[in-house]
Amino acid sequence: MKIIKYFWGLIPITIFLLLKMFLLIIEKSLNLVLRDTPDCILFWFLIFSVLIFIIYVIIKIFSFPIIQKFKYSLIIKSIVISLYCVSVIPILGFGMLCSAFTYCSDDTMIENGMKMVVRDTSYLDLSLEYYEYKNVLFRGKQILKQVSNRTYWIYNSDGELIETGIYDD
């Protein structure tokens, strides 16, 4: 319990790193990809873990006896805390921009008797990618069908093109 109390700022980032390594092992060994919503949640967990880690480092630096005996330590603490608070806004803003531009909505559907994950990869045009549905957290890695505007491409599980065509109105 004393170790947790002493290293509390390292716990979230350690959990993130262990979880990310575990997910990478699963993805590589089973040829899967983490779906977009769980990946976005993991990304935000990383951002908050880094912010907590920075707070932890600041507290540890201020706990040194040399810093506490310094004549202007209160002014330095105020400046560092102000800089931290000001830097949080750009970090959160950057996180929101990354989330907005990298997130692709996905949904599950059944097509030709197969359950698939459909990712909408464009905000402006019709651009869809179909992957094999594995579970709530993961989808297949190989694109099975791709639709861009009115053109479609259908692939087999090895990634070889089977069919291509144009949707008629």
Side-chain angles (χ1 to χ4, degrees):
M1 195 66 174
K2 199 172 192 179
I3 293 174
I4 292 174
K5 199 173 187 179
Y6 189 74
F7 293 110
W8 61 268
L10 299 174
I11 293 172
I13 205 142
T14 304
I15 291 171
F16 170 79
L17 292 172
L18 291 173
L19 187 60
K20 192 66 177 175
M21 284 187 339
F22 177 70
L23 290 172
L24 284 173
I25 291 169
I26 289 175
E27 287 178 354
K28 294 295 180 189
S29 64
L30 299 175
N31 205 20
L32 299 174
V33 175
L34 193 63
R35 289 180 64 179
D36 287 320
T37 302
D39 192 41
C40 188
I41 292 169
L42 192 62
F43 173 73
W44 278 100
F45 182 69
L46 170 65
I47 288 177
F48 287 117
S49 297
V50 168
L51 291 175
I52 290 170
F53 177 72
I54 293 170
I55 290 172
Y56 172 76
V57 169
I58 289 171
I59 289 172
K60 288 298 178 186
I61 289 172
F62 287 151
S63 67
F64 288 139
I66 296 172
I67 300 290
Q68 292 175 349
K69 291 179 182 179
F70 189 62
K71 186 176 180 181
Y72 301 106
S73 66
L74 184 62
I75 295 170
I76 294 173
K77 286 179 184 179
S78 301
I79 291 170
V80 170
I81 291 170
S82 299
L83 287 174
Y84 175 77
C85 292
V86 169
S87 67
V88 166
I89 294 169
I91 290 171
L92 293 177
F94 176 74
M96 283 189 243
L97 281 174
C98 285
S99 292
F101 287 112
T102 61
Y103 179 77
C104 297
S105 65
D106 62 1
D107 198 10
T108 56
M109 67 174 291
I110 297 176
E111 186 170 309
N112 297 331
M114 183 179 192
K115 195 169 187 178
M116 296 181 156
V117 174
V118 182
R119 291 183 71 223
D120 186 0
T121 58
S122 176
Y123 292 110
L124 303 175
D125 295 329
L126 174 64
S127 183
L128 303 172
E129 294 175 348
Y130 294 72
Y131 297 91
E132 183 180 0
Y133 175 86
K134 294 296 184 177
N135 56 39
V136 177
L137 295 176
F138 295 101
R139 63 173 169 81
K141 196 173 195 175
Q142 179 59 46
I143 294 176
L144 299 177
K145 181 178 179 183
Q146 188 173 10
V147 178
S148 181
N149 292 328
R150 293 179 19 192
T151 307
Y152 67 89
W153 300 267
I154 298 176
Y155 303 92
N156 64 9
S157 59
D158 296 326
E160 298 169 353
L161 184 64
I162 297 174
E163 179 184 341
T164 186
I166 297 175
Y167 289 114
D168 295 327
D169 288 336

